[in-house]
C-alpha cells in the first residue's frame, strides 16, 4: 500500500512543480520532477531554479504534513570539466530541505543506477 499512498499524496506536488514552469524540459515536456516508489528527483538548470522548486516542495510539505528528509537528500551538480574550478560545492549554492542543508555529492545510487557528475 505504501507506494500507492505515496503516489496519491505526492501527485499534487508533481502537478504543482510542473505548473510552476521551473525545472528541466525536453522540448515542451516537463522532466524537472521524477518520482518512483518513495523517491523524488528534482532536475533544474540553475541553482535559483532548484531553490524555487525546493520552496514549492517545502510549501507543499507544510500544507500536507509531509516531512522530506534532508539527511537522505543529495545534491549533485553537473558542470563541464573545464568549468568545475568555478564551482565550490556547497559553499556557493547551499540547498535546504525543510530548513536543513543537503549534502553535495559527486555520485549517488538511485533505483540501482549510479548517477554521477
Amino acid at each position: 500500500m505504501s507506494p500507492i499512498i505515496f503516489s496519491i499524496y505526492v501527485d499534487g506536488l508533481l502537478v504543482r512543480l510542473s505548473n510552476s514552469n521551473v525545472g528541466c524540459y525536453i522540448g515542451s515536456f516537463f522532466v524537472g520532477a521524477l518520482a518512483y516508489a518513495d523517491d523524488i528527483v528534482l532536475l533544474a538548470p540553475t541553482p535559483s531554479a532548484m531553490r524555487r522548486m525546493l520552496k514549492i516542495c517545502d510549501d507543499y510539505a507544510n500544507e500536507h504534513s509531509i516531512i522530506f528528509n534532508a539527511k537522505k537528500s543529495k545534491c549533485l551538480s553537473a558542470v563541464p570539466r573545464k568549468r568545475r574550478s568555478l564551482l565550490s560545492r556547497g559553499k556557493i549554492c547551499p540547498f535546504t530541505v525543510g530548513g536543513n542543508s543537503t549534502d553535495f555529492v559527486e555520485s549517488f545510487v538511485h533505483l540501482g543506477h549510479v548517477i554521477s557528475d
Side-chain angles (χ1 to χ4, degrees):
M1 287 295 294
S2 180
I4 294 169
I5 293 171
F6 174 82
S7 296
I8 293 168
Y9 224 66
V10 175
D11 186 61
L13 172 60
L14 299 175
V15 169
R16 193 177 292 185
L17 287 165
S18 178
N19 290 339
S20 72
N21 295 318
V22 179
C24 289
Y25 289 82
I26 297 177
S28 62
F29 294 100
F30 177 71
V31 294
L34 311 173
Y36 181 79
D38 64 348
D39 289 331
I40 299 173
V41 175
L42 299 179
L43 303 171
T46 64
S48 61
M50 180 57 74
R51 282 190 189 88
R52 288 175 56 196
M53 293 177 76
L54 289 169
K55 172 87 169 85
I56 291 167
C57 291
D58 281 342
D59 291 346
Y60 189 88
N62 289 332
E63 293 167 17
H64 295 87
S65 301
I66 299 172
I67 298 173
F68 292 115
N69 189 340
K71 291 183 189 239
K72 289 185 175 181
S73 300
K74 305 296 178 218
C75 180
L76 183 139
S77 180
V79 179
R81 291 191 196 284
K82 62 184 175 184
R83 300 192 70 199
R84 286 194 184 166
S85 62
L86 301 175
L87 181 68
S88 176
R89 293 184 195 276
K91 293 182 182 168
I92 295 174
C93 308
F95 296 104
T96 61
V97 174
N100 298 305
S101 294
T102 60
D103 292 332
F104 273 77
V105 296
E106 292 182 7
S107 67
F108 66 95
V109 177
H110 182 257
L111 301 175
H113 298 357
V114 176
I115 310 296
S116 67
D117 60 356

